[in-house]
Amino acid sequence: MESRQRTTSLPPPFLKRIWLPESQGDDAPDWTSYPFSLPLVRSGLDLQFDKPVTILVGENGTGKSTLLEAIAHLAGFSDAGGAQGMQAVEPSSSSGGALGARLRGAWLPQVKQGWFFRAETFFSVARYLDGAGGMDYLSASHGEGFLDFFEDRLSRQGIYILDEPEAALSPQKQFEFLKLLRRIQYAGNAQVIMATHSPILMALPDADLWQMEQFGMRPVSLEDTAHFRLYREFILYPHETVEAMIE
């Protein structure tokens, strides 16, 4: 069952800050094992949210999904995805959950509604919703089902943690998703924390963009991301770029 909803008149972001408190002795985690061996964790994880939409970017292996899982765990979501209190998918003993159990968060207020979206569990969650609530997310194409789901769920007040929502979206559909995110910003009643590889989604105006890299995290502009630079090279010199990358 989903947690009982409580609305607030306060604007987002509701989750203001996350941090990993210092721990010593027997209470300290194993800093040599994942996820505590991640540089962003070992260097002292402390992230402040200043805007309704925060976007995390970085190469595979930098810990984006693990960090989102940890934030979702902190917020009361199942590691497998879904709404708070929902068990549509069998939860896993994820590394993100282990980190989330140690995270601390500053809320104003702590909202009890929202969604943790994971592309790899979407169909299991959608099947659960179709059966339980008369929805019909699975009758459309993969991308259309994603968009229908986002249109329905993200229009409500809450905190939304999205791990690579572009997974099934064509470039054109990514712009449709951008419109939805823009409406969320204008409505002023939801917070979005999103990881993406899509330069299109990274370009959302008035969002905070954070680069996750080998030695931690830093604010970054779209034009300075490796994703944007690579796509720009490909657009300007498609054949030369492909040949250089595959040789």
Side-chain angles (χ1 to χ4, degrees):
M1 294 178 60
E2 297 185 28
S3 300
R4 187 167 58 123
Q5 294 189 358
R6 180 182 65 181
T7 60
T8 176
S9 59
L10 294 174
F14 309 120
L15 180 58
K16 303 292 186 182
R17 176 186 168 220
I18 58 167
W19 72 96
L20 189 65
E22 292 186 8
S23 53
Q24 299 177 344
D26 294 339
D27 186 49
D30 181 0
W31 298 105
T32 65
S33 65
Y34 197 91
F36 301 100
S37 58
L38 281 169
L40 72 95
V41 177
R42 291 181 62 88
S43 62
L45 178 58
D46 195 330
L47 179 59
Q48 184 167 315
F49 301 100
D50 296 318
K51 294 183 179 179
V53 180
T54 301
I55 302 173
L56 308 178
V57 303
E59 268 301 323
N60 292 334
T62 54
K64 298 186 306 301
S65 293
T66 298
L67 180 57
L68 287 191
E69 287 178 12
I71 296 172
H73 186 96
L74 173 69
F77 297 102
S78 166
D79 298 345
Q84 291 169 322
M86 177 183 288
Q87 295 295 337
V89 183
E90 190 67 28
S92 61
S93 55
S94 68
S95 54
L99 176 60
R102 290 179 174 269
L103 276 185
R104 298 293 180 268
W107 298 80
L108 187 64
Q110 182 169 5
V111 295
K112 293 296 184 181
Q113 57 269 12
W115 200 273
F116 176 30
F117 175 84
R118 305 187 64 178
E120 62 266 34
T121 63
F122 170 75
F123 282 106
S124 296
V125 174
R127 191 173 298 111
Y128 170 87
L129 293 173
D130 285 358
M135 307 306 295
D136 196 18
Y137 297 127
L138 295 180
S139 65
S141 70
H142 198 171
E144 291 290 346
F146 268 45
L147 276 181
D148 289 345
F149 171 82
F150 291 139
E151 287 278 359
D152 178 51
R153 291 283 159 172
L154 273 63
S155 62
R156 311 173 188 182
Q157 185 177 78
I159 180 168
Y160 297 93
I161 301 166
L162 312 177
D163 192 8
E164 298 182 11
E166 75 277 9
L169 302 179
S170 69
Q172 184 62 45
K173 294 300 183 184
Q174 289 180 41
F175 281 105
E176 293 299 317
F177 183 63
L178 273 185
K179 292 179 184 178
L180 174 59
L181 292 178
R182 195 59 166 160
R183 291 201 299 270
I184 289 174
Q185 290 174 313
Y186 286 148
N189 68 349
Q191 178 176 4
V192 174
I193 304 171
M194 174 176 69
T196 182
H197 288 296
S198 167
I200 294 174
L201 300 191
M202 294 176 200
L204 178 70
D206 305 317
D208 276 339
L209 191 61
W210 286 85
Q211 175 82 46
M212 298 179 64
E213 48 197 17
Q214 184 178 359
F215 299 107
M217 302 176 64
R218 62 181 176 87
V220 67
S221 66
L222 169 67
E223 293 78 8
D224 287 334
T225 63
H227 302 72
F228 179 87
R229 293 198 301 268
L230 181 58
Y231 273 74
R232 179 173 56 190
E233 286 299 307
F234 174 75
I235 294 299
L236 291 174
Y237 312 104
H239 304 294
E240 294 86 348
T241 300
V242 169
E243 290 206 13
M245 296 297 288
I246 65 177
E247 287 298 331

